[in-house]
Amino acid sequence: MHKRYQHQDFEGKWQQVWADQKIYDVGERDETKEKEYVLVEWPYPSGNLHVGHWYAFGVPDIYVRFKRMSGKQVLYPMGFDAFGLPAENAAIKRNINPKDWTESNIAYMKQQLLSMGNAFSWDKTTASIDEDYYRWTQWMFTEFFKHDLAFRGVATVNWDPIDNTVIANEQVLADGTSERSGAVVIKKELPQWMLKITNFANELIDDLDSLDWPHFIKEGQRQWIGRSKGAELSFTLSSGDRVAVFTTRIDTLFGVTYLVLAPEHPLIPTLTIINHDEVTTYIATAAQKAEQDRLDATKEKTGVRLEGVTATNPISGEVIPVFVADYVIGSYGTGAVMAVPAHDARDYEFARKFELPIIQVISGTDELPYSGPGQLTNSGSLNGLSIEEATPRIIEKVGANVTETFRLRDWSIGRQRYWGVPIPIVYDPSGQAHPVPLEHLPWRLPTDVDFTPTGEAPLAKSVELKERTERIFGAGWTPEVETMDTFVDSSWYFLRYIDNKNDEIFSSLEKQRQWMPVDTYFGGAEHTTMHVLYSRFWQKALHKLELAVHNEPYLRRFNRGLVLGTDGNKMSKSKGNVIDPDEQVKLVGADTVKMYLAFMGPYTETTTYPWDMGGIAGIRRFLERVNGLVDHIIDTEPRSSTEQLHRAIAKVCNDFNHCKFNTAISALMIYVNHVEKAGLSKASYETFLTILAPLAPHLTEELWATLGHTASIHLESFPEADETYLKADTVTIGVQINGKLRGQLTLPSEADEATARAHLAESEELKGRLERLTITKIIYVPGKILNIIGTEI
């Protein structure tokens, strides 16, 4: 029966009790317990929790509470990824300091997080803007610099003309606009601080095999890194210059009918090109296109022939034309492509458009382009050989080098904005770069800066920073004026959580041995090829420098789905479909909101779930039925209720372990439906509350206390199912006649074939069919099926 309750009467009360008693503080490592390090992604302190935060942090809390009650020492930390453009832009708009804006947001957001009632290990918190945090961010950068993993280079970067800063490739949308500002991104050549993530490209791919991650997450990283194994060879131009080309299909070399250079190829400006103006205009247009747009296979191919320039096919001696085309990217491979239109879809489309020869050199089909197996044809003395036989011969004949190439580029981390970690580099009077020593870290942000974006790095305007540099290092020394990409801050926060008060090192090897790696990491699909990839690189770099114990940071990674508005669209203020979790908590309570989010669907599937007001009302009604369950307690519990309880325990335990919270809730609903009719004992009622506790921590704590318990229900052990109640006395199996299902039999669960035959003979349902059948064979699979083979009379 429904029994209404006022969640306002006890949710805040229990949150305060938990905080006062520090029952969720993890403290020091307890080696008598197995550890479970559960991580959720570091949130940006926007100052107002949205329903996405609840979905990101509230649902994993169910798993955390279950593991705590299962006897593990669980670390579930929370902190703030607090540097970045949003705070800086908000500060510019409001004419305040971004530090003040950010710190006020952190204070407000922490109170909102506390209102969720989650089992956060707040004793392990940290924030990227804390000086004892970014001091170590800077120190690790200096270690990377000393070991040639951080360097100053020149790169083609994505420039956001509104935010006046560089943005990463991953922050450029498919339409060529900035993910953050919406501006059309401009390509620029700029000096940049970069990290050599490419040094770890092979490891970043190969080590995925050992991780317990969903296939699609691994595949997303593999495709982003883009490893290709093949051969590098040279084509000679009519100018005498040699153009290096990488190919994974050197067996198709006889089918090359033209050469393509990327618009960025450094050789183009040195060539004597008859249609120079046309080529220059094309290159300028291509420079404004996003790489994603240029690589889009659905886009019409464009290009310009370099009139007056030809190339020679190194194996056939054929003279072929040379084009510049934007479907070739200067930073991928060698920036040049040997085009084989008969066996490559992009080349085929380009060749058809420009009426270029298409020569089939691999047999197998008449339909082109063809990229499958076969034998060589139109390939001189190699005709008839398989691809595998021909490849080494061609490599030897043209002097090619067997090699690998990667789509992955080194990580550009320099940003021309204020609110970030200052890059701890100073320059001597000759311009040589030097790391700032540890005793001068943190290398603080100066406060005398007008950070209104102008295109010039704000730190370049700071007199304070220049004077500090000269005071410490000497006259003529100058500071670096860029700040770091915020993905740097979040690349190691999980290591600081476990040792957040250490003044000697960012994270001791002892603490790492105790807590790392992260056992389960919950996050968003949008970070698969950004944060997750970058942090894996950071961990591997630290491991190489013997500063990290493990080579990989996360054992398991789960991507969650997305909560939509009630109209089925992504939540947006402009669409008026945003769900304010604070309002929902005020209306129905934190437990209801958490359980509704968990009940929407499988948590670890990257799908979308529209918010349903009817659905959340249904969860509230269920909790009201739970509140009234005490009225169904009886002295003698029927066996059916005991069996239902232990089935629920077994189901919920299995589902919690696999993060299938929605089906766990369904099992509890089935149990409540049953005992409302059949009744339950006081002991079973208490057991049920402990099963429900991870899902509804406040209500179960309140009901637990009303039973006279003085210790928290969340310190109880999660119950174990009694196997004797899980075995059914009978089982229903299907009966097939000649392979077609014709009926069912209810048998003792341990029935052998003789017993099954005896029940079959007594079956009124099947009697008529069996009388018309001459049985030749019976196949019996215990507990599953009885198949009768015979001929009709």
Side-chain angles (χ1 to χ4, degrees):
M1 60 176 286
H2 293 271
K3 188 175 181 181
R4 294 186 180 277
Y5 64 88
Q6 297 298 318
H7 53 271
Q8 300 94 334
D9 292 345
F10 58 80
E11 287 192 344
K13 175 187 73 173
W14 288 117
Q15 289 165 11
Q16 189 61 54
V17 169
W18 299 333
D20 291 344
Q21 295 181 356
K22 301 183 183 299
I23 68 169
Y24 303 131
D25 284 3
V26 73
E28 295 301 311
R29 179 74 180 94
D30 182 355
E31 298 290 352
T32 66
K33 294 182 178 181
E34 187 179 351
K35 67 97 175 177
E36 179 93 9
Y37 188 173
V38 181
L39 189 67
V40 288
E41 288 173 344
W42 226 14
Y44 171 75
S46 59
N48 189 23
L49 284 182
H50 54 72
V51 76
H53 289 111
W54 271 80
Y55 196 51
F57 309 143
V59 181
D61 183 66
I62 300 166
Y63 178 82
V64 167
R65 290 178 176 279
F66 166 67
K67 288 296 180 181
R68 283 172 51 89
M69 294 177 74
S70 298
K72 289 194 174 185
Q73 185 183 22
V74 183
L75 172 61
Y76 186 44
M78 175 53 62
F80 302 96
D81 188 8
F83 277 122
L85 275 176
E88 186 168 339
N89 288 339
I92 292 168
K93 183 178 179 180
R94 292 164 176 81
N95 195 30
I96 60 174
N97 190 290
K99 184 175 187 291
D100 297 335
W101 169 259
T102 302
E103 288 179 345
S104 66
N105 279 355
I106 288 176
Y108 182 75
M109 190 169 173
K110 184 171 182 180
Q111 289 305 310
Q112 287 189 299
L113 288 166
L114 291 171
S115 76
M116 297 173 73
N118 286 347
F120 289 130
S121 311
W122 282 109
D123 59 324
K124 297 296 184 182
T125 190
T126 192
S128 61
I129 62 170
D130 292 344
E131 290 189 355
D132 61 358
Y133 185 89
Y134 78 77
R135 171 194 188 200
W136 296 112
T137 304
Q138 292 174 325
W139 180 79
M140 283 183 274
F141 176 90
T142 65
E143 290 299 299
F144 289 175
F145 176 79
K146 293 172 187 175
H147 292 87
D148 199 30
L149 291 175
F151 66 101
R152 187 76 170 166
V154 176
T156 301
V157 298
N158 304 305
W159 181 263
D160 185 322
I162 290 181
D163 284 335
N164 278 300
T165 192
V166 173
I167 60 174
N169 285 338
E170 298 88 344
Q171 295 166 304
V172 181
L173 301 179
D175 62 358
T177 60
S178 167
E179 178 184 53
R180 217 216 63 79
S181 73
V184 175
V185 174
I186 298 170
K187 296 292 182 179
K188 271 189 177 184
E189 286 248 326
L190 284 179
Q192 283 290 296
W193 278 101
M194 308 181 83
L195 299 179
K196 289 188 178 177
I197 190 172
T198 54
N199 281 18
F200 298 84
N202 277 315
E203 290 177 57
L204 287 167
I205 287 181
D206 295 339
D207 292 349
L208 288 168
D209 294 338
S210 64
L211 300 178
D212 182 18
W213 293 10
H215 170 76
F216 70 91
I217 299 180
K218 293 183 181 183
E219 196 55 32
Q221 292 212 353
R222 289 189 185 106
Q223 290 181 10
W224 188 257
I225 298 167
R227 179 171 65 188
S228 297
K229 297 183 178 181
E232 189 173 297
L233 65 155
S234 294
F235 283 68
T236 302
L237 301 185
S238 52
S239 62
D241 297 294
R242 295 172 70 82
V243 175
V245 168
F246 173 83
T247 178
T248 60
R249 292 294 304 273
I250 200 170
D251 54 289
T252 64
L253 188 53
F254 276 95
V256 175
T257 59
Y258 62 100
L259 191 70
V260 186
L261 302 182
E264 304 86 7
H265 200 288
L267 195 57
I268 293 178
T270 71
L271 298 173
T272 302
I273 302 170
I274 295 173
N275 55 335
H276 178 271
D277 291 346
E278 182 185 12
V279 171
T280 301
T281 300
Y282 180 81
I283 291 173
T285 302
Q288 300 310 312
K289 291 184 180 180
E291 286 187 1
Q292 291 92 329
D293 188 46
R294 289 168 59 180
L295 291 169
D296 188 343
T298 65
K299 299 283 187 179
E300 182 181 1
K301 301 296 177 289
T302 65
V304 174
R305 184 168 180 167
L306 304 185
E307 300 289 351
V309 180
T310 59
T312 301
N313 186 320
I315 198 166
S316 68
E318 292 287 330
V319 175
I320 57 176
V322 180
F323 285 78
V324 57
D326 65 10
Y327 75 88
V328 179
I329 306 295
S331 59
Y332 294 175
T334 64
V337 166
M338 58 174 234
V340 189
H343 304 290
D344 181 90
R346 297 182 311 165
D347 297 343
Y348 180 82
E349 183 183 341
F350 190 91
R352 289 287 299 272
K353 179 175 180 177
F354 289 91
E355 299 182 346
L356 298 167
I358 300 173
I359 302 172
Q360 183 171 358
V361 292
I362 305 295
S363 63
T365 181
D366 294 331
E367 186 175 337
L368 300 178
Y370 173 66
S371 59
Q375 296 178 323
L376 270 67
T377 184
N378 295 320
S379 299
S381 62
L382 302 177
N383 284 345
L385 294 181
S386 68
I387 293 172
E388 293 73 22
E389 293 170 328
T391 295
R393 296 194 188 189
I394 295 175
I395 288 173
E396 182 179 4
K397 187 174 181 68
V398 301
N401 297 316
V402 178
T403 186
E404 292 177 331
T405 189
F406 297 87
R407 182 175 182 265
L408 183 69
R409 304 269 68 85
D410 281 326
W411 178 10
S412 171
I413 66 161
R415 298 293 180 263
Q416 296 70 36
R417 295 302 295 259
Y418 173 74
W419 191 235
V421 177
I423 293 178
I425 291 290
V426 290
Y427 299 91
D428 63 28
S430 69
Q432 186 72 28
H434 301 266
V436 175
L438 178 59
E439 62 264 29
H440 296 299
L441 299 181
W443 192 244
R444 295 179 177 86
L445 278 170
T447 57
D448 64 334
V449 174
D450 175 8
F451 40 83
T452 304
T454 61
E456 180 185 19
L459 297 193
K461 309 169 190 175
S462 171
V463 174
E464 175 193 332
L465 183 61
K466 292 173 183 175
E467 290 180 347
R468 181 204 311 169
T469 303
E470 288 206 338
R471 183 176 68 253
I472 294 173
F473 298 100
W477 285 67
T478 56
E480 175 56 62
V481 295
E482 292 181 354
T483 54
M484 295 189 206
D485 176 15
T486 53
F487 279 117
V488 169
D489 304 330
S490 59
S491 287
W492 69 280
Y493 72 111
F494 45 88
L495 292 169
R496 187 61 180 176
Y497 274 149
I498 64 177
D499 203 8
N500 63 336
K501 296 178 176 63
N502 195 328
D503 292 330
E504 302 299 322
I505 190 66
F506 67 95
S507 185
S508 72
L509 297 181
E510 178 188 5
K511 295 291 186 183
Q512 292 183 44
R513 278 188 285 268
Q514 290 175 346
W515 285 109
M516 289 294 291
V518 172
D519 295 281
T520 304
Y521 193 9
F522 295 98
E526 69 275 13
H527 290 141
T528 296
T529 54
M530 291 192 286
H531 158 65
V532 175
L533 184 62
Y534 293 149
S535 56
R536 289 184 64 221
F537 152 69
W538 198 276
Q539 180 80 13
K540 289 179 182 297
L542 292 177
H543 183 260
K544 182 178 181 181
L545 300 180
E546 300 182 346
L547 296 170
V549 173
H550 302 90
N551 193 36
E552 285 284 344
Y554 324 118
L555 290 180
R556 290 199 303 172
R557 166 76 183 189
F558 289 125
N559 286 353
R560 63 180 177 273
L562 180 67
V563 183
L564 304 177
T566 54
D567 57 359
N569 294 312
K570 188 174 181 180
M571 290 190 191
S572 166
K573 289 182 180 178
S574 63
K575 294 179 181 176
N577 65 351
V578 173
I579 300 297
D580 185 341
D582 289 351
E583 291 180 5
Q584 296 300 314
V585 170
K586 185 177 181 181
L587 184 66
V588 294
D591 288 345
T592 301
V593 174
K594 176 182 291 187
M595 276 191 69
Y596 169 68
L597 290 167
F599 193 55
M600 287 194 302
Y603 188 69
T604 57
E605 291 185 12
T606 52
T607 186
T608 55
Y609 302 110
W611 186 275
D612 177 13
M613 297 307 293
I616 195 169
I619 291 293
R620 172 67 185 207
R621 286 193 296 271
F622 170 70
L623 290 177
E624 289 174 352
R625 289 169 62 194
V626 169
N627 189 46
L629 209 55
V630 68
D631 297 332
H632 296 276
I633 293 176
I634 56 179
D635 292 334
T636 305
E637 179 176 87
R639 181 180 173 87
S640 63
S641 292
T642 308
E643 288 176 349
Q644 285 286 352
L645 176 64
H646 287 276
R647 287 178 190 147
I649 293 170
K651 174 68 173 168
V652 170
C653 186
N654 180 72
D655 287 350
F656 279 177
N657 271 317
H658 294 90
C659 301
K660 296 179 179 179
F661 309 112
N662 57 321
T663 51
I665 294 171
S666 295
L668 295 177
M669 290 176 171
I670 291 170
Y671 175 74
V672 170
N673 288 341
H674 181 87
V675 296
E676 280 181 332
K677 299 171 184 175
L680 76 166
S681 67
K682 182 174 183 290
S684 291
Y685 175 65
E686 291 191 344
T687 300
F688 169 73
L689 291 181
T690 61
I691 308 170
L692 181 64
L695 291 156
H698 303 89
L699 177 60
T700 53
E701 188 79 287
E702 179 73 6
L703 295 175
W704 190 250
T706 61
L707 292 173
H709 296 285
T710 55
S712 172
I713 191 173
H714 303 297
L715 300 178
E716 293 291 308
S717 296
F718 201 84
E720 295 182 6
D722 187 334
E723 294 290 332
T724 60
Y725 291 108
L726 303 181
K727 295 179 181 179
D729 295 331
T730 61
V731 63
T732 300
I733 68 170
V735 178
Q736 292 182 348
I737 297 178
N738 293 326
K740 293 184 178 180
L741 185 65
R742 296 303 187 189
Q744 294 180 325
L745 283 179
T746 299
L747 306 172
S749 58
E750 306 297 331
D752 57 13
E753 184 174 337
T755 304
R757 283 174 179 257
H759 279 72
L760 178 65
E762 297 172 1
S763 171
E764 291 295 328
E765 178 187 8
L766 297 165
K767 185 176 181 180
R769 291 183 181 276
L770 294 174
E771 288 174 349
R772 300 192 301 271
L773 194 71
T774 300
I775 299 175
T776 58
K777 187 177 183 181
I778 291 181
I779 302 170
Y780 174 58
V781 180
K784 294 185 178 179
I785 201 161
L786 186 70
N787 191 7
I788 304 165
I789 310 297
T791 55
E792 290 194 16
I793 300 173

